[in-house]
Amino acid sequence: NTELFVHAWRAVISANKWRSHTFTLKVDPDAVMLPDRVRTHLRPHVGRKMFIINCPWGDMIFGALEVYSYHAILEWSSREHECPAPNNWGEDKY
């Protein structure tokens, strides 16, 4: 499953639409996301190289809602080759 997400993120990066936005969100189709509420929570993080860890057990991101700043995606796009996709944790750990 991790490789599927790596390919999806490569497609997002190559489309370059993320470059026009301060944050990029990945939202599962069965999740509820309220843009105005998200904007309020993200406002203090504008301009930072960050993503939101939403898992209470370490440094993983559980996938219903994932939030990445412009700078975080820029960093990953230039250093993706340094991040091997682990087979043992899936995309939540990647």
Side-chain angles (χ1 to χ4, degrees):
N1 201 19
T2 306
E3 285 298 322
L4 176 67
F5 279 82
V6 171
H7 291 298
W9 275 110
R10 286 178 183 152
V12 167
I13 302 262
S14 67
N16 280 321
K17 290 183 179 185
W18 61 274
R19 291 183 181 273
S20 301
H21 303 280
T22 306
F23 293 96
T24 298
L25 282 65
K26 189 218 50 97
V27 183
D28 283 0
D30 61 346
V32 175
M33 193 270 297
L34 304 171
D36 289 338
R37 300 272 311 264
V38 173
R39 279 188 197 98
T40 299
H41 288 283
L42 294 179
R43 192 167 290 122
H45 304 288
V46 170
R48 295 180 53 204
K49 187 188 307 181
M50 54 77 71
F51 59 94
I52 295 180
I53 295 175
N54 61 8
C55 172
W57 301 288
D59 59 352
M60 294 181 4
I61 301 173
F62 286 151
L65 175 64
E66 299 178 13
V67 179
Y68 302 90
S69 71
Y70 170 91
H71 296 289
I73 294 178
L74 182 64
E75 187 78 14
W76 187 85
S77 69
S78 67
R79 299 178 58 193
E80 181 235 337
H81 63 281
E82 298 176 33
C83 302
N87 293 324
N88 57 340
W89 282 94
E91 77 278 359
D92 295 329
K93 183 73 171 172
Y94 179 75

